[in-house]
């Protein structure tokens, strides 16, 4: 009894140390990636602004000013927050996942690979089902954002004519249609990124309970069972959130990658 108590005490202290250290590292890494992404976004926005500013007049006669305004005020921030930052988050979470899975494989390769197959397979299945619609809604959101800027420019640039003709109702309806359709696309992209979390958590919890029952029947009530369950419980505490962030990052990148198309040519020309 004394040896089991000592083992559980040392194991609990080790788990606490690992959790505290990993959370500190994750916090610092998150801050650094956030700072780097925002700085890169500022440099990109500044380069585009200078590029547009020094274009000749023919360029502005061929391009609507609302489109240029939309790129600087909407598409560049969308690229930074919904593509660049998710890429940084994905890289950091993949590192966490590799470390955790590597440790589990070292302890029990078969059990670890089965667990990885269940979690990764579930996320891949969900992503394959929605990836095409994610890209479609991302493109639709970009088109509607451009239409919104154009409509606002036309509204307040021609407010005198609108008042004279009494066309307020018509412009209200057009604007309402634009923002309603935009909400549908953004809602789909957000829900697609978050919904799998509950599905995967359910599978993981049921798998852990199934593992507990299996170990109790095959090995009885021993310290080995307790240590194995504790190990997988701790791994799940870090692995499931990391897997969810990785999946959400991939979904955001897939849904917003088209934002790069709106200004990539201008960056290369600049």
């Amino acid at each position: 009894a004394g040896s089991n108590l000592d083992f559980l005490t040392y194991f609990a202290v080790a788990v606490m140390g690992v959790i505290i250290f990993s959370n500190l590292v994750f916090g610092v890494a998150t801050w650094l990636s956030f700072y780097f992404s925002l700085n890169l976004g500022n440099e990109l926005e500044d380069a585009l602004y200078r590029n547009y500013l020094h274009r000749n007049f023919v360029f502005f006669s061929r391009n609507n000013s609302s489109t240029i305004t939309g790129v600087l005020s909407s598409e560049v921030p969308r690229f930074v927050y919904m593509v660049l930052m998710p890429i940084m988050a994905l890289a950091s979470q993949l590192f966490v996942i590799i470390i955790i899975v590597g440790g589990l494989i070292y302890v029990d390769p078969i059990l670890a690979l089965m667990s990885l197959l269940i979690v990764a397979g579930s996320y891949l299945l969900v992503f394959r089902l929605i990836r095409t619609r994610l890209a479609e809604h991302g493109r639709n959101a970009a088109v509607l954002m451009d239409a919104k800027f154009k409509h606002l420019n036309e509204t307040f640039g021609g407010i005198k004519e609108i008042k004279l003709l009494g066309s307020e109702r018509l412009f209200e309806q057009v604007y309402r249609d634009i923002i309603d359709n935009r909400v549908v696309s953004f809602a789909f992209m957000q829900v697609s990124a978050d919904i799998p979390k509950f599905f995967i958590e359910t599978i993981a919890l049921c798998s852990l309970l199934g593992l507990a029952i299996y170990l109790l029947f095959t090995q009885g009530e021993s310290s080995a069972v307790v240590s194995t369950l504790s190990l997988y419980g701790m791994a799940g505490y870090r692995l499931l959130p990391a897997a969810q962030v990785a999946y959400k990052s991939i979904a955001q990148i897939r849904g917003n990658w088209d934002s790069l198309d709106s200004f990539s040519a201008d960056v290369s020309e600049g």
Side-chain angles (χ1 to χ4, degrees):
S3 59
N4 287 339
L5 181 60
D6 291 340
F7 167 77
L8 291 175
T9 302
Y10 289 131
F11 189 81
V13 172
V15 168
M16 289 173 58
V18 170
I19 291 174
I20 292 172
F21 177 75
S22 63
N23 284 339
L24 286 174
V25 171
F26 180 70
V28 173
T30 301
W31 182 84
L32 289 175
S33 63
F34 188 80
Y35 183 78
F36 172 79
S37 300
L38 289 181
N39 269 342
L40 188 58
N42 285 341
E43 293 296 326
L44 177 60
E45 194 170 331
D46 181 62
L48 276 170
Y49 177 77
R50 286 187 282 107
N51 184 13
Y52 290 139
L53 191 62
H54 290 88
R55 291 295 185 93
N56 56 42
F57 189 76
V58 176
F59 172 81
F60 293 98
S61 66
R62 294 176 178 174
N63 293 273
N64 195 306
S65 60
S66 64
T67 300
I68 298 173
T69 303
V71 168
L72 290 172
S73 61
S74 175
E75 291 305 295
V76 173
R78 185 161 79 99
F79 173 75
V80 171
Y81 286 102
M82 305 303 291
V83 176
L84 186 58
M85 292 182 67
I87 288 175
M88 300 295 291
L90 176 62
S92 64
Q93 295 307 315
L94 284 178
F95 177 75
V96 173
I97 291 171
I98 290 171
I99 294 298
I100 294 175
V101 172
L104 294 178
I105 290 175
Y106 177 78
V107 174
D108 191 331
I110 296 177
L111 196 56
L113 291 175
M114 287 177 59
S115 303
L116 178 63
L117 182 63
I118 291 173
V119 175
S122 301
Y123 275 116
L124 286 174
L125 176 63
V126 173
F127 183 72
R128 284 183 63 86
L129 292 174
I130 66 171
R131 61 178 180 176
T132 302
R133 293 198 65 194
L134 266 176
E136 291 174 355
H137 279 283
R139 289 191 293 268
N140 187 53
V143 170
L144 291 171
M145 180 62 74
D146 185 48
K148 177 183 174 181
F149 276 106
K150 288 181 179 178
H151 186 72
L152 289 174
N153 279 350
E154 291 171 359
T155 299
F156 299 113
I159 191 65
K160 184 186 296 185
E161 290 79 4
I162 293 174
K163 292 295 183 181
L164 289 173
L165 296 174
S167 305
E168 291 91 345
R169 292 284 184 182
L170 175 62
F171 276 77
E172 284 178 11
Q173 187 58 49
V174 172
Y175 189 73
R176 170 56 63 181
D177 291 341
I178 292 173
I179 60 177
D180 283 348
N181 289 328
R182 183 166 163 262
V183 164
V184 171
S185 292
F186 275 108
F188 180 85
M189 289 190 290
Q190 186 63 41
V191 170
S192 299
D194 288 329
I195 282 296
K197 171 185 177 182
F198 309 106
F199 174 63
I200 303 300
E201 284 182 350
T202 302
I203 293 178
L205 180 60
C206 293
S207 299
L208 186 61
L209 291 175
L211 175 62
I213 295 172
Y214 170 76
L215 291 175
L216 287 173
F217 272 104
T218 56
Q219 299 183 20
E221 299 180 6
S222 65
S223 58
V225 174
V226 175
S227 61
T228 301
L229 292 177
S230 300
L231 175 64
Y232 275 85
M234 183 184 70
Y237 168 77
R238 294 303 305 171
L239 184 60
L240 289 180
Q244 173 59 26
V245 171
Y247 167 81
K248 186 173 183 179
S249 299
I250 294 173
Q252 289 176 332
I253 294 167
R254 177 66 175 176
N256 295 277
W257 186 256
D258 64 285
S259 61
L260 181 62
D261 298 334
S262 63
F263 59 82
S264 58
D266 295 326
V267 172
S268 60
E269 289 177 12

